[in-house]
Amino acid sequence: LDEAIPQCKWFGLKCNEDGYIVEINLRKNNLTGAELFGYLRFPQLTKLDLAGNELSGTVFNDILYYHRRLVHIDISDNHFSGEVDMTFPPSTLHVNY
């Protein structure tokens, strides 16, 4: 990641008028690795789409704790393991995992 480029200009990210990241759309981008969710801390996030990658590991229950505004979450077609007990906030309208 090039820190000289503002986050709002990074591929797959969309920001609101205040400069907060509100969407992450990295569907089918050949992402690999584990423990990704430990790094997601975007309080204004409304859409998270990481479907169709090669992500693995555990989905942390606290992803929803930090992202109470999520309306759309799609993390399907990856290689996650373990069980997840997620309670979705009322704002969430679409879930696919």
Side-chain angles (χ1 to χ4, degrees):
L1 298 174
D2 187 349
E3 293 183 17
I5 299 172
Q7 291 179 350
C8 293
K9 302 268 186 199
W10 291 357
F11 176 81
L13 300 184
K14 181 179 177 184
C15 294
N16 63 14
E17 60 277 352
D18 296 323
Y20 290 101
I21 295 170
V22 293
E23 291 186 15
I24 299 174
N25 187 350
L26 295 172
R27 175 181 284 267
K28 295 184 180 179
N29 269 272
N30 296 315
L31 299 177
T32 61
E35 308 304 332
L36 171 72
F37 296 104
Y39 298 103
L40 291 176
R41 297 284 190 277
F42 303 108
Q44 303 294 319
L45 193 65
T46 60
K47 180 178 181 179
L48 176 63
D49 191 339
L50 300 173
N53 287 290
E54 298 292 323
L55 299 171
S56 60
T58 304
V59 178
F60 296 114
N61 294 341
D62 67 352
I63 185 173
L64 296 173
Y65 177 80
Y66 292 105
H67 303 101
R68 296 268 187 215
R69 297 174 187 243
L70 269 176
V71 173
H72 175 104
I73 180 171
D74 192 340
I75 55 173
S76 63
D77 297 323
N78 282 287
H79 303 287
F80 296 116
S81 60
E83 294 182 14
V84 179
D85 180 21
M86 291 195 242
T87 302
F88 297 97
S91 62
T92 305
L93 300 175
H94 173 85
V95 177
N96 193 10
Y97 60 95

